[in-house]
Every structure is written in C-alpha cells, then in structure tokens.
C-alpha cells in the first residue's frame, strides 16, 4: 500500500534553487521529481546567458549539489571567477540535471497544485491527503502526479513588472510591445545590436539590470556614436543611486553602478529623474513618446528597455492556502526580514523552513519566488533555504532550525526606501538602507540634477 511518505517531493523549476533542492532531497534519501517548463535545465538562466553575474563561482554552487556531482569527475570552476548566465547553466546546472537523470522532467509546465480531493475550501482530513500537481507536456497533453510535499522554485523571470509606475501597464504599453523589451538585451548578438545601434533608447529602472543595460548601450555608442540612452528614474539622484562602488563587498556589483555613472558622465546617457510613466504613445514615425504622471512628455525614443523588477506567478497555486504578505507577496513570516524599504541583499537575516511555511503544511516557496516582489535575493540565500526546507520535510527539525547565512553587504539598497515623507528625507529615515542626507550629485559635464532622498532600486530583479 502506497502512503504519502512513499510519494516523491515535487520540485517546480530546474533552476539553481530547484536543482539544489533535488540534490538535498537525494542526500536525505527522499525521491524528488523536478518539473521544468523549459526544454532544458536552467531555461531562464539561459535567457540571460550574455549577462555576467556579480557573484563568483564560489558563491553560486550548492554544497549538496557539488557532492552529487563529484563522483562524475565534475570540479567547480575557479571559485574566484565570475561566470556568465550561460556559464552557470552550461557548466553547473545542466551537469547537475544530468546526474539527477529521470528525476528531472523538462517541457513540463505546472498548471495547478492542490490537495487530492480537496479544494481550498475543504477542511476535513485535509492535511493527510497528498498533493496533486497538474502539468502539461510538450505535445499539449495533460498529466498529474501525487506528492508528499511541494517545493516551488519557479522564480519570477516570466512575470516582469511593467513600465507603468502604478504597477499596471502604462496606457499604450501593450500596443507598443514591438518596441519594448523587459530584459537586458544581448548587444553582442549582431541582430539584437542592430536594433539599438545608432538609436535612442529609454531605460526604465534603477537597479543592477538597468546599470547593465546602460553600460552595454554606452559600449555600443563607442562604435556607433549616435547611440544614446535616456535613463528614466522614478526618484531623484542621490549619493546611493549608483550603489556602493568600490565599497561594495561584491566588487563586480559595485562596478555596475560605476559603469552606469560613467555612461552618464561620458554623455552616452541622459538621466530623467522623478518621472513616473503614465502612458506610452507613438508619433507619426512610429517612435515612442513617454508621458509622465506630472504632465511631462519626453522626446521620442526608438526603443524602450523596461527593468522595473519582477513579481511571482501565483496563478497555479490558487487552490493552496498560502500565507503571503499583502505588499511583497512573500511568505508572511519572511516578508519583514526582506522588506526592501529596510533591507538590502546583505542585511537579510538567516531564515529557513519556519519563515517559509504556509497555512498549508508541506508546501514551500523558495528561491527568488520566496521573495515575492523584493529584489534583494542572492543565490546562496536560496541554497540555505532549500537545505532547511528539505531537512524539515525529512523530519530533521534540529538541522532544519539551524539556519546559518553570511552575506556580503550590498552597496545598492533594495527598495524604494523612504517615499513621500519629507521629515524622513531630511533625517535619512533610519535603517540599513537609509539614504544619505540630500545632496546634489554632479553627473555629466555641466549637469547638476536635484535629488530625492532615496532612489528606488526595486527594479534590479535578482541580486545574484
């Protein structure tokens, strides 16, 4: 007779956190089944294969995964070097998926998770029922699998936030989709480069992704001088806008902010501050005009790169009783620890299965998805999450509760910080992400821009 304990743990997503979870489950003698939407492991990571991480190899390899890989002769690349997304997927995630073998099913898109025979309303005998997970396969057929627990590591990549400052798409944003992208473009690809070279491009956002896009466009401008970026920030420019620079404990991350500042200083980009996009219109030539909530209308641009963050897709969890923070859409117990108004990547407290639990026992959101709309996530945070969660699933609460995490302090605050509180703006607002006292920041030749107390960095997406 099959009992719930005999069933596998379903892991949704074969990215860094999902595959690490599978490795930890195998280490504990529990059978995982990883369901991956894409046709290969690390599908979303491959989509930004051209972007270099600001974390080193030493920070993005899970220990249980490394143990699982070791018998195959796999060795970690130089721990001090910085991989690209393509390196991470090809040199680590794919080999890990290969070792896991049939435990990883690709082209399996999860469409629903519930308790067997129980919708979210039913209380009776609920917790004794196994989970049932519905998914579609490459040929469009539908399947289901039963599970003792579910670990959702599906991330947030597929649900980027819009250009509209209200959290809704700006008026006209959807109809202008042919000239808008929500990812950092691969400007080394000749076809993609041709789309932006010699053009005027708006970059909306203020985190690491926006820094990367600005630096890449500035590099194109060296060969195509008419290439120009318009950097649109919802807040003003302050001493913290460009991150920690040389003081950042992740040097590559600090360098991103310095590269963005150089793009402006060298005339390759103009900064437009305090601009909250309300509408996107077309001129008679098909170019895009961004209109702000304050009535300003910017000069036409050829392309728009929207890098305003990501949000979790909770649609397939509608029959599960989740306990989520109303603002961040992160687990309620975790939300105060990662609130970007108070915390940066490096000030997140260690957390594990207890902070990640929900009213529905046995289901966990981990990795980037666990952070909801907060951008302050680091890969090693996800690895510690899944170590704790898998220990809890195995019944080893002593290990599950022993959560240890040491993170480098961030130079980029992870949220909008103090928003419309003049008193707070004068005092800096307190907390680890408090902005410095307002001061004019000189950027560009002969250009001085006014500041707002804290820049919104929730557009950074992931911090890894």
């Amino acid at each position: 007779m099959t009992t719930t304990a005999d069933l596998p743990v379903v892991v949704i997503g074969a990215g860094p956190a999902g595959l690490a979870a599978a490795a930890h489950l195998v280490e504990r003698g529990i059978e995982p089944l990883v369901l991956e939407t894409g046709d290969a492991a690390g599908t979303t990571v491959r989509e930004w294969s051209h972007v270099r991480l600001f974390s080193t190899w030493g920070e993005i390899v899970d220990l249980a995964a490394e143990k699982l890989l070791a018998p195959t002769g796999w060795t970690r690349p130089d721990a001090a070097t910085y991989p690209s997304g393509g390196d991470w997927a090809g040199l680590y995630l794919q080999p890990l998926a290969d070792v896991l073998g049939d435990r990883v099913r690709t082209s399996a898109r999860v469409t629903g998770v519930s308790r067997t025979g129980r919708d979210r309303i039913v209380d009776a005998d609920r917790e004794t029922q196994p989970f049932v997970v519905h998914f579609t396969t490459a040929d469009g057929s539908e399947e289901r699998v039963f599970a003792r627990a579910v670990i959702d590591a599906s991330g947030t990549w597929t649900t980027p936030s819009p250009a509209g400052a209200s959290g809704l798409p700006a008026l006209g944003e959807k109809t202008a989709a042919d000239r808008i992208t929500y990812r950092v473009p691969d400007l080394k690809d000749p076809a993609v480069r041709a789309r932006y070279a010699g053009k005027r491009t708006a970059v909306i956002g203020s985190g690491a992704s926006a820094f990367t896009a600005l630096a890449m466009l500035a590099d194109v401008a060296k060969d195509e001088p008419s290439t120009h970026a318009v950097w649109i920030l919802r807040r003003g420019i302050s001493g913290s806008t460009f991150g920690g620079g040389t003081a950042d404990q992740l040097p590559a991350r600090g360098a991103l902010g310095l590269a963005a500042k150089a793009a402006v200083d060298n005339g390759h980009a103009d900064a437009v501050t305090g601009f909250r996009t309300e509408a996107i219109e077309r001129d008679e030539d098909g170019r895009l005009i961004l209109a702000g909530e304050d009535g300003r209308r910017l000069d036409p641009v050829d392309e728009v790169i929207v890098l305003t963050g990501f949000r979790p897709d909770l649609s397939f969890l509608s029959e599960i009783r989740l306990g989520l923070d109303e603002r961040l859409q992160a687990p309620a117990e975790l939300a105060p620890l990662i609130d970007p108004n108070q915390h940066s990547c490096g000030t997140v407290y260690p957390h594990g299965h207890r902070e990640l639990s929900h009213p529905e026992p046995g289901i966990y959101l981990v990795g980037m998805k666990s952070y909801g709309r907060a951008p302050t996530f680091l890969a090693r945070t996800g690895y510690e999450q899944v170590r704790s969660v898998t220990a809890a699933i195995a019944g080893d609460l002593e290990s599950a509760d022993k959560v240890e995490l040491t993170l480098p302090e961030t130079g980029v605050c992870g949220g909008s910080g103090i928003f419309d509180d003049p008193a707070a703006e004068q005092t800096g607002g307190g907390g680890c992400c408090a902005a410095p006292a307002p001061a004019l920041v000189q950027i560009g030749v002969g250009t001085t821009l006014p500041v707002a107390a804290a820049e919104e960095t929730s557009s950074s997406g992931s911090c890894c």
Side-chain angles (χ1 to χ4, degrees):
M1 178 178 177
T2 300
T3 66
T4 300
D6 297 323
L7 296 173
V9 172
V10 166
V11 179
I12 305 174
L19 292 176
H24 281 274
L25 288 166
V26 169
E27 187 174 54
R28 288 185 170 276
I30 299 173
E31 195 66 15
L33 175 61
V34 183
L35 300 177
E36 165 59 40
T37 297
D39 58 6
T43 297
T44 57
V45 176
R46 295 173 195 273
E47 290 189 19
W48 49 270
S49 61
H50 58 289
V51 177
R52 191 162 300 281
L53 281 75
F54 53 65
S55 294
T56 64
W57 273 111
E59 297 160 332
I60 61 170
V61 173
D62 176 76
L63 294 180
E66 191 167 14
K67 291 179 184 177
L68 194 61
L69 283 163
T72 70
W74 185 89
T75 56
R76 182 193 305 192
D78 185 348
T81 60
Y82 296 90
S84 66
D87 296 333
W88 200 14
L91 300 179
Y92 168 62
L93 298 178
Q94 189 59 56
L96 180 54
D98 291 342
V99 169
L100 290 166
D102 292 341
R103 298 182 178 104
V104 178
R105 286 195 61 175
T106 56
S107 299
R109 179 185 295 274
V110 173
T111 57
V113 180
S114 186
R115 289 280 187 179
T116 303
R118 308 288 188 275
D119 63 21
R120 67 182 298 156
I121 298 175
V122 179
D123 290 332
D125 202 28
R126 184 179 188 86
E127 293 184 11
T128 64
Q129 301 303 310
F131 290 95
V132 59
V133 180
H134 286 211
F135 61 96
T136 58
T137 60
D139 62 4
S141 61
E142 296 179 279
E143 295 186 25
R144 68 177 180 178
V145 64
F146 298 98
R148 61 185 289 185
V150 175
I151 299 175
D152 183 356
S154 58
T156 58
W157 178 257
T158 60
T159 47
S161 296
S166 63
L168 302 174
L171 298 178
E173 183 173 344
K174 292 181 180 179
T175 58
D178 60 314
R179 290 179 179 256
I180 300 175
T181 183
Y182 298 86
R183 309 287 190 268
V184 177
D186 182 2
L187 296 180
K188 293 183 179 180
D189 182 317
V192 177
R193 187 182 182 92
R195 177 173 172 177
Y196 297 93
K199 306 291 181 60
R200 180 178 167 86
T201 300
V203 177
I204 305 177
S206 53
S209 296
F211 292 167
T212 301
L214 289 167
M216 288 182 169
L217 288 169
D219 188 61
V220 173
K222 295 174 184 177
D223 297 324
E224 298 281 349
S226 55
T227 304
H228 196 77
V230 181
W231 185 19
I232 298 173
L233 301 99
R234 293 173 181 169
R235 301 302 309 278
I237 296 240
S238 75
S240 62
T241 295
F242 297 99
T246 57
D248 197 318
Q249 289 188 23
L250 288 177
R253 180 176 54 199
L256 280 178
L258 296 178
K261 186 175 187 301
V264 179
D265 287 343
N266 295 331
H268 299 310
D270 297 320
V272 178
T273 61
F275 190 91
R276 298 179 175 275
T277 306
E278 182 178 65
I280 299 177
E281 305 165 1
R282 288 187 189 267
D283 68 6
E284 58 185 13
D285 297 322
R287 302 175 81 200
L288 302 183
I289 299 172
L290 274 62
E293 293 178 349
D294 58 4
R296 280 185 288 171
R297 292 166 59 85
L298 304 184
D299 291 339
V301 296
D302 300 287
E303 301 286 342
V304 177
I305 302 173
V306 180
L307 301 169
T308 53
F310 296 85
R311 52 189 61 175
D313 177 8
L314 302 169
S315 61
F316 58 84
L317 299 175
S318 61
E319 294 306 312
I320 293 295
R321 297 174 178 179
L322 299 178
L324 299 176
D325 178 75
E326 62 183 9
R327 295 175 305 131
L328 298 183
Q329 295 180 297
E333 294 298 318
L334 175 62
L337 307 182
I338 62 172
D339 185 347
N341 293 291
Q342 301 294 328
H343 292 283
S344 66
C345 299
T347 63
V348 172
Y349 295 106
H351 59 274
H353 73 108
R354 296 193 184 278
E355 291 82 4
L356 296 168
S357 63
H358 294 275
E360 189 85 70
I363 187 161
Y364 301 92
L365 277 58
V366 302
M368 189 65 203
K369 189 164 186 176
S370 72
Y371 273 43
R373 298 193 182 200
T376 48
F377 182 76
L378 286 168
R380 64 174 74 178
T381 305
Y383 295 156
E384 183 61 7
Q385 286 180 341
V386 299
R387 186 207 61 77
S388 173
V389 163
T390 54
I393 292 172
D396 184 359
L397 293 183
E398 180 180 358
S399 177
D401 288 334
K402 187 178 180 181
V403 181
E404 297 178 353
L405 185 65
T406 302
L407 298 173
E409 292 183 5
T410 180
V412 181
C413 291
S416 56
I418 46 186
F419 188 71
D420 288 324
D421 183 351
E425 292 188 2
Q426 294 301 319
T427 61
C432 71
C433 272
L440 292 177
V441 177
Q442 191 78 24
I443 61 175
V445 179
T447 302
T448 302
L449 296 176
V451 305
E455 176 52 33
E456 183 173 64
T457 58
S458 59
S459 62
S460 61
S462 173
C463 284
C464 55

